[in-house]
Amino acid sequence: QSIEDLVPAKSRDQAKQVTAEFENCSGRDLLFILDGWDELPSHLHTKSIFHKLIASPQTLNLHFSAVIVTSRPIASGELYRFISSRIEILGFTPTEVQDYFTEALGGEAQAVQKLQD
């Protein structure tokens, strides 16, 4: 696989052109969001274009690109040696859920209750 395979384009030629532009600027101002690392089959964690983007973007001539990877904590341990920052998002408490729904629904108690049931 290659970066070209990841580019959403109408044609293969267009994907090649976009990839060439990425490489020409070494990935400057380019952000990849890899959502669901934990859902990727484990054999692709080390042998895929996704791994190259995270572990060695310079091999793809994307030295200055940025990558955001989302994953459940249980599956992200292998990424720690490649990442510069780690953020863990925790869920809402029941009180926070109640407050959020109440505010979002303009205080409609019945609607809030229905959502929580």
Side-chain angles (χ1 to χ4, degrees), residues 48-69:
S48 69
I49 188 67
F50 306 112
H51 184 263
K52 285 182 186 175
L53 274 172
I54 297 165
S56 54
Q58 67 279 3
T59 64
L60 302 169
N61 198 24
L62 297 172
H63 304 71
F64 301 109
S65 63
V67 180
I68 294 175
V69 181

Side-chain angles (χ1 to χ4, degrees), residues 27-47:
R28 191 171 275 109
D29 298 325
L30 182 61
L31 171 66
F32 291 96
I33 301 175
L34 306 178
D35 184 30
W37 178 260
D38 54 304
E39 297 171 24
L40 191 65
S42 59
H43 71 279
L44 294 178
H45 284 198
T46 56
K47 296 182 181 183

Side-chain angles (χ1 to χ4, degrees), residues 1 5 18 27 37-38 46 54 56 60 71 78 87 94 97 106 117:
Q1 286 188 358
D5 296 321
V18 170
W37 178 260
D38 54 304
T46 56
I54 297 165
S56 54
L60 302 169
S71 177
E78 65 194 39
I87 299 171
V97 171
D117 289 342

Side-chain angles (χ1 to χ4, degrees), residues 73-92:
I74 192 85
S76 62
E78 65 194 39
L79 296 173
Y80 292 164
R81 63 186 167 159
F82 304 117
I83 60 175
S84 59
S85 300
R86 180 177 173 262
I87 299 171
E88 187 170 337
I89 300 173
L90 304 175
F92 294 104

